[in-house]
Amino acid sequence: GAVVSQHPSRVICKSGTSVKIECRSLDFQATTMFWYRQFPKQSLMLMATSNEGSKATYEQGVEKDKFLINHASLTLSTLTVTSAHPEDSSFYICSARSSWARFETEAFFGQGTRLTVV
Amino acid sequence: AQSVTQLGSHVSVSEGALVLLRCNYSSSVPPYLFWYVQYPNQGLQLLLKYTTGATLVKGINGFEAEFKKSETSFHLTKPSAHMSDAAEYFCAVDRNAGGTSYGKLTFGQGTILTVHP
C-alpha cells in the first residue's frame, strides 16, 4: 500500500509553453500533498503544500503564478509550470500524506518528473 | 526552525566495508528524522525513520541509524557495503514533528555513496 504515482516521468517542452505534472495516490486518500524541486547536484527544496479543496501554500521565493497547484480531489494534485523557461528545468517530486492512522508519521514520494525546457 | 547538515557530500568505501553517513539536525521540537535513498533519475525510497521510542532504528537493506539527542545526530550505518548500495542518500527532518502537520520535510544536502570492488 501507500503508492504515489507521478506522471510524466520525463518531459521536454519548448520555452514559453506550459507543462502539467500529475501526482496521484493510488491506494490511499491524501489529505495533503507536497511538491519539491531538485536542481542538478542539489538537495530537494520544498516548493509548496497543497491541501485538498483549498489553495496551496507556497514557500518563500516560489512564484505562485508560475507554479500553479491544484488539489481537486483526495487522490490527485497537479503542478503546472506556466510559461516555462530553461531555468525551470529541474527534477520535480511530489509526496502525499495519508489520512490512515497507520501511516501518520510519514509522507510517500512519487517517482519524480524530469523537466527539460529547451 | 529545523535544519539538516550532512557531513561529506561524497563517501567512498570498499565492498564489504562499513558504511557511515553523517547527519546532524537542528530542531526546536522533538524531531522526526528520516533517511532516504535516491537512485539516478528516480524518486526517494525511505530507508528508515525515527519518531519516538527506541533510538536505534533498523531499516531496509541492512541499514540502521541511531538517534542521539545529546549530539543532535542521526548517522546512518551499514556493517558491510554492497555494490548495489551506491546511490545518493538524504537525511531529512520533519518540520512539524509532534504536531498534526507532518510530512513537510527539510532535507540535507545529500551524500553520494560510491562502493568500489
Side-chain angles (χ1 to χ4, degrees), chain A residues 55-70:
Chain A
K55 290 185 178 181
T57 302
Y58 291 81
E59 295 297 302
Q60 190 173 8
V62 177
E63 301 174 60
K64 62 180 181 180
D65 294 330
K66 181 170 187 60
F67 299 99
L68 301 180
I69 292 173
N70 184 281

Side-chain angles (χ1 to χ4, degrees), chain A residues 10 34 36 38 42-44 46 49 59 91 93 95 97-98 100 103-107 109-112 114, chain B residues 32 34 36 38 41-44 46 49 51 88 90 94-95 100-105 107-110:
Chain A
R10 290 177 177 270
F34 305 94
Y36 295 83
Q38 184 182 30
Q42 294 188 29
S43 188
L44 292 87
L46 181 67
T49 302
E59 295 297 302
F91 193 58
I93 309 177
S95 69
R97 190 174 81 195
S98 171
W100 291 354
F103 296 126
E104 63 183 19
T105 58
E106 67 180 276
F109 284 84
Q111 310 94 315
R114 172 71 62 190
Chain B
Y32 283 10
F34 303 82
Y36 288 91
Q38 184 181 36
N41 291 311
Q42 294 188 28
L44 301 179
L46 179 68
K49 64 180 179 181
T51 55
E88 187 162 19
F90 291 95
D94 195 305
R95 296 189 189 184
T100 58
S101 302
Y102 63 90
K104 185 183 293 186
L105 302 181
F107 286 88
Q109 304 89 324

Side-chain angles (χ1 to χ4, degrees), chain B residues 1-59:
Chain B
Q2 285 75 27
S3 65
V4 177
T5 301
Q6 291 181 240
L7 298 176
S9 58
H10 289 79
V11 170
S12 181
V13 300
S14 298
E15 190 173 20
L18 171 70
V19 175
L20 171 60
L21 304 182
R22 299 179 186 273
C23 173
N24 287 88
Y25 70 90
S26 171
S27 178
S28 56
V29 297
Y32 283 10
L33 295 161
F34 303 82
W35 274 101
Y36 288 91
V37 61
Q38 184 181 36
Y39 296 97
N41 291 311
Q42 294 188 28
L44 301 179
Q45 181 180 11
L46 179 68
L47 285 175
L48 48 79
K49 64 180 179 181
Y50 169 79
T51 55
T52 58
T55 56
L56 181 62
V57 180
K58 295 185 183 299

Side-chain angles (χ1 to χ4, degrees), chain B residues 7 9 11 17 35 43 53 64-65 71 85 92-93 96 98 100 102 111 116:
Chain B
L7 298 176
S9 58
V11 170
W35 274 101
E64 63 181 37
E71 298 178 9
D85 294 328
V93 62
N96 293 289
T100 58
Y102 63 90
T111 298
H116 50 86

Side-chain angles (χ1 to χ4, degrees), chain A residues 84-99:
Chain A
H85 291 282
E87 56 265 30
D88 298 323
S89 297
S90 187
F91 193 58
Y92 293 86
I93 309 177
C94 71
S95 69
R97 190 174 81 195
S98 171
S99 58

